Amino acid sequence: MPVVDVGSVHEAVEALNADVDGRRLIGGGTGLMLMARSGFFVPETLVSLRRADDTDLLDIRLIGGVLRIGALCTLRDLELDPAVRRHVPTLAGVLHRVSSVRTRNVATIAGCLAHGDPKMDLPTYLMALGAELVVASTAGRRKIALSDFFVGYYETVLLSTEVIVAVDVPTIQPGQFTEYRKFTGTLVEDWPLVSLCLNLDEVEGAIDRAAVTVGALGSKVKRLPQLEAWLRGQGKPEITTASNLKELREVVESEIEAKDDNLASGDYKRKIFHVELVRAVRKWAATQPTEALR
Amino acid sequence: MTAQKLPRDWTSHAWERAIGNIRYTDDDVPRGMTYAVLVRATIAHGQITSVERDLAREVPGVLGVFTFEDLMTVARDGYHGTGYRDQPMICDGIVRHYGEPVIVVVATNQRIAEYAAGLVSVNYAQLPVVLGDREALANPEALHRDVEPSADFIDLKGLKPLANNPNIYVRSILRTGDFDEVAKSAPHVFEHQFSTASASAAPLETVSSYAVPNRDGSVEMLTQTQMPSYVRVQLARMFGMTESRIRVRHAPLGGGFGFKIYARTEPIVMACALLVGRPVGIKFSMEEQFYLPHRRGTTTTISSAVDEDGKILARRCFIIWNGGAYADVGPRMVKKGGNVAAGPYEIPVVDIESVGVYSNRIPGGAIRGFGIPQIVWAYETHGDMIADSLGIDPVTFRRRNLMKRNAVHHTGTPLGPCDPRLVFERLIEELQSRPLVEPDDPELKAGRGLAIALKAVMGPTTSTVKIMLNPDGSATVHCGTVEMGQGSNIAMAQMVADELNLSLDEVKVVSGDTDSVPWDMGTAGSRSTNHMHKAIAQAAEDLRAQLRSLSAAMDTESQIGDDVDPFKVKGGVIEYLRAGFGPMGATLTGVGAFTPDYIPPDSNGQSERITEFWMCAATSVDVIVDPLTGVVRLDQLLTISDVGKAINPEIVRTQLSGASIMMASISLSEEIKYDEDGQVLNPGLALYRIFGFEDSPNTVYADMVRDEGDEVPRGVGESGTFGVAPAIASAIHDAVGVWMTDLPIKPENVLKAIEEATDE
């Protein structure tokens, strides 16, 4: 596959428009090359921003309450960045369990999201945090909430002529609780078989706002409105009483769907989701208000 | 000698391997190489009705697009196989498993060959697909008709498929009495069933071979094989050439595990090279490697009659070995597995039937243990389930039943110096200083399990060795044992240095070339160190005799007496060589050959000498189980093995622990999955899940024991694998109270068992 190196986002957009069907933007290539090697998806030409002068693509900047992460930042950059560690402190721990250091050294944040694979870790985590994408096209720039981004397996709302230039991640505020649960099953290091993320705002010991996302179970990462609604107003430690946990189980049973695949039955994956959700909830319930800063 | 410090070049060899600097077969591909790519079957069973290959032939750079018939124009016999000659070089018209090679495309480079292969289309008339163990056993339509036994091995003499069910290609019986008779009056009778899945050895160095035809009609074959001598024999037979005109070379292997035994891709590249008159190579991707033989799946039904104290009175086993499309090592594995299926226990009456069946799976091969781990899985878990039912702890149960020192095995062959009780008690002693871990998280449960097993060496096969005693008294050893990371070159050098009273610096081992290295059956089945040890002793004796006769030319007081070892005479060797050949000396060559004695078993499987030696190993595993998810993690893995004399104890320990970790991965994670049409669903390391470092136990320990005065090295490579799976199952039971009977032990099944136990 030939690679067209472009010098800026503007040039990238032009290059993609020049041959809409044959060209594909490449980030780190860790996802795309696997697909190409297996013959699943083989673009004719790749467009790469690796030689671009645009420093914004590699920057991590705090703008108001949002951390703007340049599209070409690698997962390893994020994992080690001091600003990320300060403002989104749970991210490093999530990234630590994504693939291997060698892959994280190459994979980019934008590529990781644009890939549209529900079995990746970052989409589930960032969606719960309320991340947004900054996207460039010939029409200018627009913002897409990550929760509106995924359509299905390897399918997003991103047009093939659009370029993700940055990811805006709201910083984690005092009183916020964030817990990402990755369940891999047999092997410690693997794609998640089930993943979920809980992002809660707490006011006076009760949940004021809840964002809950699920990954790996269906064709896309998504938020879970029923669970979020149930969580709102729950206080600690009462949330873990038997009757509350019974209610929680009923909500899970009503909202979570999972299909059988080569790795496990849908029934098992739903059970695991419930176990991991309860573990995350218990963890919140066990935090002291002073510890809830993260 | 074992205490001798290893010189730098020996240890650096291991270091080079660890950092990836070692030169493997693919690093020295002969010049002018062209490449073969295989078009593989997209069905599991059917007849090829037509092949369209014109498009592929027209691609510039393509040298040939060959069918089986094309390959046969240069071959005398297109079939190979160790038990039966049932395997064609490539598909002979009937596809018998998914991914079977049907067409070979040869081109000037790999990429062109791959492209052209994509242009070949093959049409099939499908036939019914049989995959399961029991379905294959009951299959009225035999997958093969009129298969011809190979007659390569004395222990397979008389091999033939069952007359009334030719899909059963081997049936092995071991019977010392009437099980039903004992069971009738026994206080307890237990019956359980166990299964194992197919698994792949998936060595990191993927399979490749390169054939170079010479102008004089001879052929050089550079290949990765654990059996260079046998590959040469097969190629000579299949292509009607003398062995002297075929040279098989190999570099150190990047993993063997029984995966790289017998002929694999060599006949294909040999035929292609003869057809196109140019060097032809084949190099598999990791994904393609999953279409080479797997560890075969099994279903075992095992029953025991037991008295009130847990003493086993009689045991019956019925084992189905799902051999896939071609028999490969099946006939031998079925026999050897059946022989030891009752375990290392004193049981007055055993009744074992072991059968090998064809199916439309990928052919079954051998991985680290030659089928024995599948057998041990059944009898050790069965034993623990019996002990549990009777309220006897697993240690006491084994102490009541284990074979004693100097026992005679169920086959009628004595155990010799192999003492199961010695091994078992050493494990128990080791465990006393290692308390079970207490999980940090109160939700998690820890448990401990153990297992013990016995195996006979692969058998009766020959090793030969040639020791060249150089004029300065140093030695160059020509030895066919294949170095594949197990440290055999070091062990061979140590044994020669011991015999010849040399330092390791003075010994060089030459291997990897059939033009200079004499016959060796192969590096497999834990046979090499033992058999070479005996061959080396003979070669050294040969040299001693020659030195003695050379010294006859010297004055009387310098002559060597019959009771004197010339290698022990200080400065003697050089003097004897000079006395014989003049002041510059010359080379003396000593040869040795060893073949074990063997007595074929009678119709009840009885023989006083069915094996050269026995191996025994015991394993203990500590697990941590998450009862809410069924996930099992390993905390500790211990192996104690009786390997006889350890030539290089440090290497033996790492060999044992490496084997145990590999088997832990197969026990908990690895499984070749098929869909109902017989398509393999998870070829390649992205989909076939192998343990990583994080999955390995927190503590891994291995050590050896041996009978006092036992100075003979026995097998090492396999014994670390034997008891791992049942020890894990036993530990899971200890932790959460459920028995797992199917391998691999998947979290979902553990959780299901826990839920069922709770419901009850």
Side-chain angles (χ1 to χ4, degrees), chain B residues 442-732:
Chain B
E443 277 188 347
L444 304 178
K445 306 287 177 210
R448 172 170 285 177
L450 47 77
I452 182 165
L454 193 66
K455 180 187 184 289
V457 72
M458 174 179 150
T461 52
T462 302
S463 284
T464 63
V465 70
K466 185 173 84 185
I467 303 177
M468 285 163 51
L469 193 60
N470 300 317
D472 66 353
S474 67
T476 307
V477 188
H478 293 250
C479 160
T481 301
V482 177
E483 172 66 56
M484 46 192 172
Q486 85 282 42
S488 62
N489 278 1
I490 306 175
M492 298 306 155
Q494 284 180 272
M495 292 193 290
V496 172
D498 252 357
E499 282 286 351
L500 270 48
N501 199 23
L502 296 171
S503 75
L504 272 177
D505 283 324
E506 296 170 295
V507 180
K508 176 174 180 165
V509 176
V510 176
S511 62
D513 186 347
T514 54
D515 267 8
S516 62
V517 174
W519 169 272
D520 179 60
M521 178 57 228
T523 309
S526 299
R527 61 181 291 285
S528 295
T529 312
N530 174 275
H531 288 33
M532 277 297 177
H533 175 82
K534 290 161 183 169
I536 286 168
Q538 211 185 77
E541 207 41 56
D542 184 11
L543 286 170
R544 285 186 194 101
Q546 293 182 54
L547 288 170
R548 274 194 196 98
S549 61
L550 290 183
S551 78
M554 300 166 79
D555 53 51
T556 321
E557 64 199 47
S558 304
Q559 288 178 11
I560 319 167
D562 284 345
D563 54 340
V564 176
D565 180 350
F567 293 113
K568 296 274 167 66
V569 180
K570 200 165 188 289
V573 171
I574 295 177
E575 289 310 314
Y576 308 138
L577 291 173
R578 285 177 183 170
F581 302 114
M584 287 177 68
T587 305
L588 274 194
T589 301
V591 294
F594 177 73
T595 310
D597 293 334
Y598 173 74
I599 303 172
D602 64 19
S603 58
N604 284 322
Q606 297 297 301
S607 162
E608 283 171 29
R609 196 164 173 87
I610 207 155
T611 180
E612 172 67 9
F613 63 82
W614 298 91
M615 291 166 262
C616 183
T619 303
S620 163
V621 175
D622 291 0
V623 299
I624 297 169
V625 183
D626 180 343
L628 296 182
T629 63
V631 168
V632 178
R633 303 267 183 249
L634 301 176
D635 180 59
Q636 180 175 270
L637 179 51
L638 306 185
T639 308
I640 302 294
S641 183
D642 177 0
V643 303
K645 180 184 180 182
I647 301 298
N648 191 318
E650 210 37 58
I651 290 179
V652 171
R653 283 190 193 93
T654 51
Q655 168 94 316
L656 290 169
S657 52
S660 68
I661 295 169
M662 186 166 175
M663 195 49 63
S665 178
I666 289 176
S667 306
L668 286 172
S669 185
E670 298 181 35
E671 177 184 19
I672 300 287
K673 291 174 181 153
Y674 293 89
D675 68 10
E676 58 194 18
D677 299 324
Q679 177 171 350
V680 176
L681 296 173
N682 56 344
L685 294 184
L687 299 170
Y688 181 83
R689 284 161 162 81
I690 294 180
F691 266 24
F693 275 109
E694 298 278 343
D695 303 297
S696 298
N698 299 321
T699 305
V700 180
Y701 173 88
D703 204 5
M704 299 77 77
V705 284
R706 64 173 149 145
D707 204 9
E708 234 172 275
D710 181 10
E711 291 300 317
V712 179
R714 286 184 268 123
V716 181
E718 299 168 301
S719 58
T721 65
F722 297 159
V724 177
I728 291 173
S730 178
I732 291 170

